[in-house]
Amino acid sequence: MTGSTEDYPPHPHIGGRTAALRALAAWRAAAPGAPRVVVLTGGSGSGRSRLLTGFLMLCEPDYRKRLPLDAMDPSTVPPDLPAPAVPAADGLTAAQLLWLLADHFELNADSTAQVYAELAALDEPVTVVVPDVDRAGPVRAAGEPARLVREVLAPLATTETVRLLAEVPRPLAAELAGGLPPGTAQVIDLDEPQWADPEGLVLHAQVALSPEFGAPELPFTVDPAARLALAAAIGRRAGTSPLVVQLAVNCLLMAPEGFDPADERHLPTSLGEALDLHARRLGADPQTLRLLLAPLALAEADGMPVHLWARLASAVAGQDMGQAIAGGMLLAGPFVQPEEQEAEGADGGRTLLRLMHPAIGDEIRAGLPNVRAAQTQIAMALLKAVPEQDWSKADPYVRDHIAGHTLEAGLLPQLLTDPGLFVHADPVPLRAAVEAVPADELGAPARTYLRTAPLLTRTQAPAVLRAALLETAFVEDGLYEYADAIHGRLGLDLPWRTLWSLPVPGVSAVTVGSLPQPEGPAAPVAVLVVPAGTPGAQPVGEGGGSAVLVHGLLQPDQLPDADPGRILRPSEDERAAAPLGLSRGADYLRVWDRASQEVVAALISDVPFISADLSPDGILVVATERGAKALRIRPADAAIAS
């Protein structure tokens, strides 16, 4: 190993970062004195993701074969070991990332505590690399990066059998490392002088300016000496930021007219200056550029559909920005990355726009007078974009991500009264947004949604099944008008209608039957076995240990005076001749058509089913720890997949 890099070519992907690569290679090799935990940080745009990507290339056995390892500085090359676990945090919740790890290591764990206990009990240390912590969570304003650090990375870092490398925003990096014993962790802050890489910045600029790598042929790109001189000036001005280098190159290549390579005043020293210099060089007001980019800086997920851009930019600016958008790609282009996305259930696709780097969004948001006010204007514009206020017709971005915008605007509780949104929105970001609202600010419908959401996200349920599960949850919680709205307003053919729900604890069994009447047909009933002393229940058997509640099968009425001894149960022949059959697991029930063997209804639960029975005419009665309920199952010609 050597302290000099003069005789070695740089990493082909990174083009530098030798000091940091040495430290990471020593961590991977568990070299004497190397820390068990490394926290990689730096300002947004400092190149930490690029560094980590390049390092992981050296850790992946198949990818190593494509790299010139023999020619590289040996102190920067980790040993040839099995690939580490790399659960990328981008878009994930803390819980999702933890269970990804549990699955990767095939842990036999049923709880968070068991995951860490299983890891601590391993015979051999395991290596975990967690990139993109700053991008964690399906909703930006929900604070998932901090939750991930505190609830997952901190416990992992204290687990002696785990060798951890995590890419973490600077404010959280100090918190993570500061909670560990001395010598356990090393913080690599790429903005600090010891990790600086001025040569790498110049090389980065040279490559980006080269026609060999896609740059247009211009006087300062085709002439090697002019290219090197310009690259050196760009690197000098950019300080420690690879992002500023990239933006400087993007701006001058997109609009080279009038650019004087000899005048360094046209080269930015910061991200904000890159924005302002580019706008002024094109004769535009820098504030116009920032307003154009504001909707993208406030966007959720992977970007915003291009057709919404002008509408939302106008909303934030408080004036029509359509004309600026129409001619604005030269102005906004260096900072924007378009991506083609396949359309949902339709031919063709659509274009999403996102900022080239999250740090650009940080800069734009920091310059807004009031982020909450801007998000309020965006939320109002998105609501107006819903055709006929029918969420089934809304653009997928509007439908799935309006909750994120209204969360940051402080308006989400007001939005959580529409069953159409509950049914049609992607439950992953909607659940994350709702969970970020203080519980005392949520209304009853939102609380019902929140307790049902784990079922919706776990099963990736389609809209019809989401509607059906929410319908029965609303009935359980006494929100009958919301259950009726799902049936009446949404135009969905649900597999059932929940007839009633009885929140009685301790139900141990349910059966269906009929109670003969003095006149007319027998009354269909449900019989619930409950603990003795349950209000309205009648003792049965000797010893008085249990009792039964008799309940109307079709109406939400208890029948306290009904004689349990007179109730008739369906015979086996009647059950066998019924058109529908019932099968059951711990947390699911399936009703199937006997003739076709197709499942016509699938009921799942977040708590185990205790008992269930199905009447010959298709009324399903189920019991859980919450009580009992009855559902009328629709006929087989309107099936729902399990």
Side-chain angles (χ1 to χ4, degrees), residues 410-414 416 436-444 446-447:
L411 300 174
L412 183 55
Q414 292 93 301
L416 300 177
V437 177
D440 59 358
E441 296 181 17
L442 295 176
R447 292 195 295 272

Side-chain angles (χ1 to χ4, degrees), residues 1 5 17-19 21-22 25 55 58 72-78:
M1 305 238 283
T5 63
R17 294 292 188 194
T18 301
L21 281 174
R22 282 179 180 152
F55 176 67
L58 296 167
M72 293 173 61
D73 183 341
S75 69
T76 66
V77 179

Side-chain angles (χ1 to χ4, degrees), residues 138-139 298-301 304 308 312 375-386 389 391 394-413 415-416 418 420-422 424-426 429-430 433-434:
V139 175
L298 297 169
E300 294 288 333
M304 179 172 291
L308 289 174
L312 300 186
Q375 285 285 32
T376 298
Q377 296 306 314
I378 285 179
M380 295 302 102
L382 291 176
L383 278 174
K384 291 177 183 177
V386 179
Q389 294 304 293
W391 290 102
D395 180 274
Y397 181 88
V398 179
R399 179 192 68 209
D400 296 336
H401 299 298
I402 191 171
H405 291 283
T406 53
L407 173 65
E408 198 163 21
L411 300 174
L412 183 55
L415 189 67
L416 300 177
D418 189 335
L421 179 66
F422 292 149
H424 291 292
D426 182 339
L430 181 54
V434 178

Side-chain angles (χ1 to χ4, degrees), residues 338-364:
E339 179 179 313
E340 297 303 316
Q341 183 186 59
E342 293 184 5
E344 293 186 2
D347 295 331
R350 63 180 188 161
T351 301
L352 293 182
L353 295 178
R354 63 168 175 247
L355 295 175
M356 199 191 81
H357 193 281
I360 303 172
D362 296 340
E363 171 68 23
I364 298 295

Side-chain angles (χ1 to χ4, degrees), residues 460-544:
Q460 298 182 328
V464 172
L465 183 52
R466 292 201 293 265
L469 294 171
L470 285 165
E471 182 264 6
T472 196
F474 283 135
V475 173
E476 285 180 341
D477 293 347
L479 301 175
Y480 303 106
E481 67 275 24
Y482 283 88
D484 290 342
I486 287 179
H487 284 287
R489 278 206 292 117
L490 303 190
L492 298 172
D493 292 326
L494 303 191
W496 61 69
R497 177 182 286 272
T498 306
L499 301 176
W500 50 264
S501 177
L502 191 62
V504 58
V507 179
S508 58
V510 293
T511 57
V512 298
S514 57
L515 184 64
Q517 300 296 301
E519 297 181 2
V525 295
V527 180
L528 285 55
V529 179
V530 295
T534 298
Q538 302 182 46
V540 295
E542 297 183 0

